[in-house]
Amino acid sequence: FSLYNTDHFAVNPTPLGSTDVLIRPNLTDSIHVRLSDVLGTTLLAKIKAGDPIIQNATFFLNYFNGLRISSTSSSSAIFGFRDSMSIHLAYHVPSLYKDTASVSFILANTNHHFTNITVDRSGTPLTNLGPLNAPGKKNVISSTATNNMSFTQSASGTMIKLRFPNIQNILKLPNYLKLLRAQLVIRPVQSSYSPFYYLPPLLKLSTTTLANELGNSLIVPNSSGASSVQYGSLFLDYFNNKTTYTYDLTGYLNAVLQDPSYPYNQDGLLLVPSSPAFETQFSRAVIGDKHNPVVNNQIELDIFYVAVQL
């Protein structure tokens, strides 16, 4: 079975251990928590007795179901760990000098590890994000209901969906012949990012449908003639507020122009980071829609086409 960041399990209300620690991301590489002596004594007794529970991984997992590492409800920090957690059992060896020894229980199978993320959006522009605000749609809210802004932070369950409901109107332009090129320019909202509240360095566009599930990533030919996934070519400008992501939508929109079911099928594009950042990182982006009152916050689609003068 699969585990997701919305999953959770009942835990023993009595902690096995706790600590107060000041985390410095550039300096702190490990956190040590003193666990219960009762747990240590029990495990040591099983080791001394040669208990099969200790000697067999399957038996041990059925006996020791796992650990939950969490902060108190008063903590407002977000932090993550590498898959390198271990429990060290230290003990003395009977000898003249009372030598010390230890046994380590390491996280050998990362398939048993997952991160639970609980989100409280009350008091934010996304307060009403859910299935009830858009009947017939799945957890969708329009940017017109969120101050003309859209939000993507996939780890907390928000993604931006882009649609171009009027794009087929270009077929009605006088003497229209062919779409040559289409470029999408996405501008993060000013003051919504900084070196500390950083933007995702890589954001790809993936096709999606009414169900809002991830489809194929948009690709573009590179200089060698092969195709590669587009990640937005992020240009960062903290001083002049000209930060942008740019995408080549030529191939995608050419297909849309030939699709008789568009825009009625609710197809579109999802703006998401690549894996593993998709599941593990809390970088976020806030972008303005075409009605955002600040011009430098507005999303932009540039169309280049050929028209024949009759």
Side-chain angles (χ1 to χ4, degrees):
F1 67 98
S2 299
L3 294 170
Y4 301 93
N5 62 19
T6 54
D7 293 329
H8 60 88
F9 301 98
V11 297
N12 192 314
T14 303
L16 285 174
S18 64
T19 187
D20 292 322
V21 60
L22 177 63
I23 298 176
R24 301 180 184 274
N26 294 326
L27 298 176
T28 305
D29 67 350
S30 301
I31 295 176
H32 302 273
V33 181
R34 172 69 182 265
L35 299 182
S36 164
D37 287 345
V38 175
L39 172 63
T41 301
T42 301
L43 291 176
L44 183 60
K46 292 183 179 298
I47 292 173
K48 292 172 63 177
D51 195 318
I53 286 177
I54 296 295
Q55 299 176 354
N56 183 287
T58 301
F59 292 168
F60 185 75
L61 286 175
N62 289 329
Y63 164 72
F64 193 84
N65 300 138
L67 291 172
R68 184 185 75 176
I69 302 174
S70 62
S71 61
T72 63
S73 58
S74 61
S75 174
S76 58
I78 298 175
F79 52 89
F81 299 99
R82 294 195 301 267
D83 285 333
S84 56
M85 187 196 75
S86 59
I87 298 176
H88 298 281
L89 175 63
Y91 60 94
H92 291 291
V93 178
S95 69
L96 180 63
Y97 301 102
K98 202 175 184 180
D99 294 333
T100 60
S102 66
V103 176
S104 296
F105 299 84
I106 63 174
L107 183 65
N109 189 340
T110 57
N111 291 328
H112 297 131
H113 161 254
F114 76 103
T115 300
N116 170 264
I117 300 173
T118 302
V119 179
D120 180 6
R121 297 191 176 96
S122 58
T124 74
L126 296 178
T127 297
N128 296 319
L129 179 61
L132 299 181
N133 68 81
K137 299 182 180 180
K138 182 182 179 182
N139 295 339
V140 174
I141 189 170
S142 171
S143 60
T144 58
T146 56
N147 301 324
N148 299 115
M149 296 183 294
S150 295
F151 305 80
T152 180
Q153 187 181 60
S154 55
S156 63
T158 58
M159 290 184 286
I160 294 174
K161 183 174 183 178
L162 304 174
R163 299 188 67 253
F164 309 93
N166 302 314
I167 191 63
Q168 292 183 342
N169 287 343
I170 70 172
L171 299 174
K172 303 175 184 179
L173 292 173
N175 306 318
Y176 173 84
L177 179 63
K178 179 182 179 181
L179 174 67
L180 285 180
R181 186 163 66 92
Q183 177 178 269
L184 179 69
V185 181
I186 293 177
R187 299 183 177 93
V189 171
Q190 297 175 25
S191 302
S192 68
Y193 59 94
S194 70
F196 297 102
Y197 297 99
Y198 61 97
L199 294 166
L202 303 174
L203 279 176
K204 63 181 180 179
L205 289 170
S206 299
T207 58
T208 190
T209 62
L210 175 64
N212 296 330
E213 295 176 345
L214 287 174
N216 296 323
S217 300
L218 293 197
I219 59 176
V220 66
N222 55 34
S223 58
S224 63
S227 296
S228 57
V229 175
Q230 299 187 68
Y231 290 106
S233 302
L234 174 61
F235 173 74
L236 272 173
D237 181 3
Y238 292 115
F239 303 101
N240 300 310
N241 296 313
K242 293 183 179 180
T243 297
T244 56
Y245 295 92
T246 56
Y247 302 86
D248 186 335
L249 264 58
T250 309
Y252 173 76
L253 290 184
N254 269 321
V256 166
L257 292 176
Q258 301 173 38
D259 184 356
S261 64
Y262 194 93
Y264 310 107
N265 54 19
Q266 299 296 312
D267 288 355
L269 298 170
L270 291 177
L271 187 67
V272 294
S274 58
S275 187
F278 184 88
E279 301 93 351
T280 60
Q281 294 186 8
F282 285 90
S283 57
R284 52 51 177 313
V286 182
I287 69 172
D289 64 14
K290 64 179 181 180
H291 300 296
N292 193 283
V294 180
V295 174
N296 285 340
N297 292 346
Q298 294 176 0
I299 193 170
E300 177 182 310
L301 178 62
D302 298 321
I303 297 290
F304 303 85
Y305 66 94
V306 174
V308 177
Q309 184 68 43
L310 301 177

